[in-house]
Every structure is written in structure tokens, then in C-alpha cells.
Amino acid sequence: MTDPLFAPVELTPPDIAPYRRGNTGIDHVISLSASEPGPHVVLNALVHGNELCGAIALDALLRMGLRPTRGRLTLVFANTAAYATFDRQNPYASRYLDEDFNRLWSPDLLDGRRDSVELKRARILRPVYESADLLLDLHSMTADTAPLTLCGQTTRGRDLALGLGYPAWVVADGGHAGGKRLIDCGSFAEPEGSRTAILVECGQHWRTETATVALESCLRLLLGLEMISLPPNGPRLRPRTDPQRVVEVTDAVTAASERFRFTAPFVGMEVIGRAGTVIGWDDGRAIQTPHNDCVLIMPARRVKAGQTAVRLGRIVG
């Protein structure tokens, strides 16, 4: 198996300079409105500067000239400062500049006095996200894991993920101990309400297929909402034969030390049959599966103290 830390970069990062001025007064944010009423949908890319698939998908949509037939569609290139430093010879270095953009989405951080490159950008983009009825956040993964959708813990998030019909894996979870994700921000995560956010992990960071999954996820969402129609010579959705499966996260393992190690080169979505199976060691403490048929979700390849090493789940549908 190819070491994911040294996976080749098959994707070419698009030039997003033409989108810098946008049309909203915020750099790299473009909003398109229709005359017919409908939801405000935000498609979000580049939360992490080295996750190229979302930028490729948004660039493709803009190049197609797609416009919504109802409602409003906003395309956001988020952490553009980190993206500007992307180097295919050192592709992990541009994940962020100062701190993880996807751990900042709590009021105490957004309204606090602390500052960073990512916090500045988050505060600028906050009104855009807060105006969204639906948010699709496009990401990718270090390991060559099958694509999956993180739907949070709300029923409407799960319903939206299942409504797309793809990816096959839908994971319901509560996020990370290290900070709130964008999809967990404010009323997106409240049990009641209508505002909904999901995150699609489209595949291994730099595989060609990952960009295809990102674009297809965008198209499936917009077609399902009847907000667009595809031109005759435009892309077509591929038929899906794999049934969707829902996994509820039961445990999130946070590394206590830099010495955290897995017992095998897990890539994610492995199902461990027996409860009590040791899957890792954290400074001498055994990390065991808490129940039978335990699903390993996005095991980290670079485990750091205080960060999520792996999430553990149970298939419920």
C-alpha cells in the first residue's frame, strides 16, 4: 500500500485569482441570485489550503456558467492565504498558516480578542455562512478512504446527506475536542430549525477521482433542490450502485501524547468485529474498540496530542 503521507499529487490547483474580487465585497466570494425565490445555498471550498478538490469543483461550476434558476447560490474559496502557499513538493505544509480554520467556529473564538490569519478570514466570512440556508463544505482526506459525508447530529443533516444518494457512507458525529467545525456553528447544529450544513470528505487529498466526487456532490445537491439544470454538453451524474450506510459515532479518541500509534495501517471505514480489540497505543494506554462491529472513521496519519486520532462508530442504517 502506498504511504498516504507520500501520495503523488495528481491534481492541479486551479488559478483562483480571477475570482478574487468576486461580487460581494468579500475577496473570493461570488454570489448568484435568481428571480424565483428559493434557498440560499453556500458551496464552500479550501477550508484547508491543501485540499484542492473543492477549489477545482467551484472553478468548474464557474467555468460552466451555471446560474441558479431559483434562490441564491454562493461560492466561497475560504482559506485562500494558505492555498496561495501550496507546493506540490511539500503539500501538507499549506493546510493552514497559523491554525486550523475548521476548529474556530465558536462564539468565544470568533468574538474574542485572539487573532490569527485564519481567525481574520473566519470573521470576514462569518456573515456569509450565517446567511446560508444550506451549506456544503468540501474536504478531502490524508488516507485513501472511501468518500463519506459528515452530517453532524441533526436529523435534517442526515436527511440531506441521504438525499444526495452519494457518497455511500454517511457519518453522524459531534465534531472534535479541539474546536468546533464550520458545520457545527450556531444554528446549523441546533436540534430544531431548518438551517443545515454537511461536510463531504471526497477522498484522498490529491487523487484525480477526489475532484470528480467534489463536483458531483455539488451538482447532486443543486439538482436535488431544483436550483440548476445541466446544459446538454455538461457533466452527467454517474449511476450509483452502492447503498448508503449510516454510521453513528460512539467515541472520539483524542490523543493524549505525541507517542500515539495505531496497531495497523488503518485507512478508515474498517469494521472491527470484536469489542475490546486493541487498535492503538497512546503512551502505553491501549485503545480498544468499545463494541462489536466497530467502524474506524478517518484515523489520523499524523497524530498530535490534543487532536482527534480516530472516531469510532456503529452502523445504524
Side-chain angles (χ1 to χ4, degrees):
M1 181 183 295
T2 301
D3 187 336
L5 295 182
F6 299 97
V9 179
E10 300 173 356
L11 297 174
T12 299
D15 179 12
I16 64 171
Y19 311 127
R20 184 179 70 83
R21 289 188 176 275
N23 64 351
T24 62
I26 300 175
D27 283 358
H28 293 104
V29 178
I30 298 166
S31 197
L32 307 169
S33 296
S35 57
E36 294 296 319
H40 178 202
V41 174
V42 172
L43 304 179
N44 196 56
L46 295 180
V47 158
H48 298 124
N50 64 342
E51 297 182 7
L52 309 180
C53 64
I56 293 171
L58 298 197
D59 178 58
L61 292 174
L62 290 165
R63 288 177 181 274
M64 275 184 243
L66 286 183
R67 298 191 66 88
T69 56
R70 70 185 193 101
R72 179 155 63 109
L73 173 62
T74 300
L75 293 84
V76 178
F77 299 90
N79 195 351
T80 53
Y83 178 67
T85 71
F86 181 79
D87 178 358
R88 63 193 312 116
Q89 301 303 317
N90 188 18
Y92 287 97
S94 58
R95 179 174 171 84
Y96 54 79
L97 296 184
D98 291 338
E99 59 184 323
D100 193 331
F101 187 89
N102 213 28
R103 300 293 183 270
L104 303 178
W105 297 95
S106 57
D108 59 325
L109 288 178
L110 293 170
D111 297 328
R113 294 184 177 182
R114 189 166 64 76
D115 211 359
S116 69
V117 169
E118 278 75 20
L119 265 171
K120 284 187 176 74
R121 182 65 169 163
R123 289 164 179 152
I124 290 170
L125 292 176
R126 184 180 185 181
V128 178
Y129 300 138
E130 290 181 342
S131 69
D133 297 306
L134 297 170
L135 170 74
L136 172 59
D137 197 10
L138 298 166
H139 287 249
S140 56
M141 300 174 279
T142 300
D144 200 4
T145 307
L148 57 93
T149 302
L150 299 173
C151 66
Q153 295 183 308
T154 67
T155 300
R156 62 187 182 276
R158 186 178 305 194
D159 290 344
L160 180 61
L162 291 172
L164 295 185
Y166 177 77
W169 289 102
V170 175
V171 177
D173 77 319
H176 301 275
K180 281 195 174 184
R181 303 167 299 188
L182 177 57
I183 66 168
D184 304 319
C185 180
S187 57
F188 285 140
E190 292 175 0
E192 304 298 327
S194 60
R195 299 182 67 238
T196 309
I198 58 175
L199 185 162
V200 176
E201 298 280 4
C202 299
Q204 201 282 332
H205 287 316
W206 306 299
R207 284 189 59 196
T208 300
E209 173 69 10
T210 301
T212 303
V213 173
L215 178 57
E216 181 149 342
S217 298
C218 294
L219 294 174
R220 282 178 174 267
L221 176 64
L222 298 175
L223 287 167
L225 294 169
E226 299 181 338
M227 288 182 66
I228 63 167
S229 56
L230 294 179
N233 60 345
R236 289 293 174 265
L237 300 184
R238 297 171 296 175
R240 296 295 172 191
T241 57
D242 296 336
Q244 286 184 295
R245 289 172 288 182
V246 178
V247 178
E248 288 185 351
V249 170
T250 57
D251 299 82
V253 178
T254 301
S257 76
E258 301 291 335
R259 290 179 289 279
F260 188 105
R261 296 291 182 270
F262 288 104
T263 58
F266 300 118
V267 298
M269 310 320 291
E270 292 91 349
V271 180
I272 310 299
R274 294 186 60 182
T277 299
V278 177
I279 60 169
W281 295 92
D282 191 2
D283 201 19
R285 178 174 65 95
I287 307 301
Q288 300 177 322
T289 53
H291 47 75
N292 292 338
D293 297 326
C294 182
V295 183
L296 308 190
I297 302 159
M298 297 179 64
R301 302 312 302 165
R302 291 180 167 182
V303 181
K304 296 182 179 180
Q307 296 185 2
T308 302
V310 65
R311 281 162 281 184
L312 309 175
R314 178 184 284 114
I315 296 174
V316 296

